[in-house]
Amino acid sequence: MTAWTRDELDKIANADELRLATVRPDGSLRDPVTIWVVRHGDDLYIRSYRGPSGSWFRHARERREGRIQAGGVDKDVTLTDAGHGLDDQIDAAYRAKYRRYSGTYVDPMVAPQARATTIKLVPRADGS
């Protein structure tokens, strides 16, 4: 398994938003969507604001592959389900990073519906 470099982690974590293009069943990339990303330790996480009904989340579940762009990093990733043991820490990361949006946008990101969609971004080696 490939790991994020310290530089990649810092750049992505410091970016306000991330662009995710999920992979279609035929292997081509969908149009990217703009979403929030948070860091916890040496890992990066995303959630669906709309919960499991969010279209990008449904697409992500089809192939569990995508391409991200954030903070000058452009990387192929595997989209894995995050364990719920980190929900509170990931909630705290969302609240801290996006505190200027508290209430209107942050509350839905830490609600049970969004928590159920937490995805860990795992970098893929070039060509994999």
Side-chain angles (χ1 to χ4, degrees):
M1 181 183 319
T2 303
W4 295 107
T5 67
R6 182 75 40 216
D7 186 54
E8 289 170 332
L9 280 170
D10 291 343
K11 286 179 177 179
I12 295 168
N14 289 328
D16 280 342
E17 297 174 323
L18 174 140
R19 293 181 48 84
L20 168 69
T22 55
V23 177
R24 292 185 175 103
D26 69 4
S28 64
L29 291 175
R30 296 181 188 281
D31 290 336
V33 295
T34 302
I35 57 177
W36 285 354
V37 59
V38 295
R39 178 180 179 177
H40 176 67
D42 289 336
D43 296 312
L44 298 165
Y45 297 91
I46 57 175
R47 288 180 172 168
S48 172
Y49 178 83
R50 291 191 168 94
S53 65
S55 63
W56 76 258
F57 179 77
R58 290 192 326 271
H59 295 148
R61 302 291 299 238
E62 290 173 9
R63 294 242 342 214
R64 297 191 179 271
E65 295 176 301
R67 183 159 193 84
I68 63 160
Q69 297 173 320
V73 177
D74 194 359
K75 192 88 169 170
D76 290 325
V77 294
T78 299
L79 309 166
T80 64
D81 292 330
H84 291 291
L86 295 177
D87 281 346
D88 291 341
Q89 292 93 328
I90 295 169
D91 287 354
Y94 272 103
R95 285 188 182 104
K97 181 173 181 180
Y98 298 105
R99 67 181 153 265
R100 67 185 176 276
Y101 302 110
S102 65
T104 306
Y105 297 108
V106 175
D107 287 352
M109 292 301 291
V110 298
Q113 183 173 327
R115 287 177 103 179
T117 67
T118 306
I119 290 176
K120 179 179 171 181
L121 301 174
V122 179
R124 289 189 328 204
D126 291 338
S128 65

